[in-house]
Amino acid sequence: MRRLPLIVTVLVLAAAGVLLALVARREPAPVAAPVHFALTGHHGRPVTEADLAGRPVLLYFGYTFCPDVCPTELGYVARVLRALGPEAAQVQPVMVTIDPARDTAAKLADYVPLYHERLLGLTGTPEQVAALADQFGVHYQRANVATAKPGYYLMDHTATTFLLDRQGRLALKIDSHTVPVETAAAEIRSRL
Amino acid sequence: MKTAILLAACLSAPLAASEAVLEGAWARATAPGAQAGAVFGTLRGGDGDDRLVRAACAVADVVELHTHLRGEDGVMRMRPVEAMAVPAGGTVLLKPGAEHIMLIGLKRALAAGERLPLQLTFARAGQVEVVALVGEATASAAPAPAGAASGAAAGGCCGHR
Ligand SMILES: [Cu+2]
């Protein structure tokens, strides 16, 4: 009678250990297919996956009306790139807006240089944006709360940064909340 | 008797500033035309439990108190809160991705290096003037130059809650 709980405890601990090991390794979802998209760059010209082919991409989904999470994540991306040193030049940082209704190319053009000199901003129609976000399981929607400023709304959104390999396939998911900058840089370096 | 009271008042003078305050207030530079900004820092409690109930800033149409809820799916949800509790003698860290003072409808961009005045209203301590230092757009913690005064803001790090 007294043995059973012990066995259960051991099993639970073992399962937790396996889970922790998996989480710690941050295994990317098994997405083998290269991404496809047709969007507009902050420079106003069309951008598709062909324009990024051959380069690893650090991809983040955010919006410029975001005062906190997006600058935090973009600052993290900038620090990761700095930690990569000379190899950072190979990597293309990209922010895709999940708020295309407000984030025009012109709006993105004002925004992206503040965070990294090579950050590429992408916008498009709601359908074009959704088509790309869906490939990464990125969720977003207008928040169901009003702010005190009429017409000003907030977006709920997934705040994860993705590394795509040179073929445009998902190589790594990075959770900036748990992964130190140096660790992220090392993980990216090992996949360049 | 009177002396004793005076003496007591003098002795407690350094502690008399024991009202809730926001220490090491800081914000990030914003892009031209940006509509939103956020102010962080460390709320430090005074002698009694207090609550930050309101904030105002001349460069913003609206200032709200916000928190972030992080879903298990990794989705970040920013939500207004009625007030921020500041327990007596305790601290509450306002930091990126968590509690913050949200500036909505910026009348101009915030520039790195500028000092941004804010008016905070505490339920107990009343109205308090605070100056936030504006750091780089990518800053994860309070800008350095303020020296000892900003030492309390450990920024995006480790949550001294
Ligand atoms: Cu907010």
Side-chain angles (χ1 to χ4, degrees), chain A residues 65 67-69 71-72 75 79 107 110-111 114-115 139 143-149 152 154 156-159 175 177, chain B residues 28 30-33 35-37 40 61-62 64 68 70 74-80 96-97 100 102 104-105 137-138 140:
Chain A
F65 284 64
D68 180 359
V69 165
T72 301
R79 280 187 287 282
K107 197 91 194 159
D110 276 342
Y111 185 83
L114 228 65
Y115 298 93
H139 303 292
N144 60 354
V145 288
T147 71
K149 185 171 167 65
Y152 182 94
L154 306 170
D156 299 340
H157 66 102
T158 306
D175 179 2
H177 282 76
Chain B
R28 293 171 172 139
T30 61
Q35 283 292 300
F40 313 103
D61 292 335
V62 166
E64 294 184 345
H68 265 109
R70 185 173 158 80
V75 173
M76 295 295 283
R77 296 175 173 86
M78 187 160 66
R79 293 291 181 270
H100 57 274
M102 170 102 166
I104 300 177
T138 52
S140 60

Side-chain angles (χ1 to χ4, degrees), chain B residues 14-79:
Chain B
L15 300 171
S18 233
E19 298 263 40
V21 286
L22 177 63
E23 293 178 345
W26 67 284
R28 293 171 172 139
T30 61
Q35 283 292 300
V39 175
F40 313 103
T42 302
L43 285 171
R44 186 173 297 279
D47 293 333
D49 289 346
D50 207 340
R51 292 154 68 237
L52 175 62
V53 293
R54 203 160 43 244
C57 181
V59 304
D61 292 335
V62 166
V63 181
E64 294 184 345
L65 307 177
H66 279 187
T67 190
H68 265 109
L69 311 173
R70 185 173 158 80
E72 286 189 14
D73 49 4
V75 173
M76 295 295 283
R77 296 175 173 86
M78 187 160 66
R79 293 291 181 270

Side-chain angles (χ1 to χ4, degrees), chain A residues 15-29:
Chain A
V18 169
L19 249 171
L20 266 175
L22 281 174
V23 170
R25 289 194 54 181
R26 285 173 304 282
E27 280 192 298

Side-chain angles (χ1 to χ4, degrees), chain A residues 59-97:
Chain A
L59 183 63
Y60 175 68
F61 293 83
Y63 68 115
T64 75
F65 284 64
C66 170
D68 180 359
V69 165
C70 301
T72 301
E73 194 72 17
L74 293 172
Y76 176 84
V77 167
R79 280 187 287 282
V80 168
L81 287 171
R82 205 174 309 138
L84 271 173
E87 287 162 301
Q90 303 173 35
V91 179
Q92 175 62 58
V94 174
M95 176 171 121
V96 180
T97 181

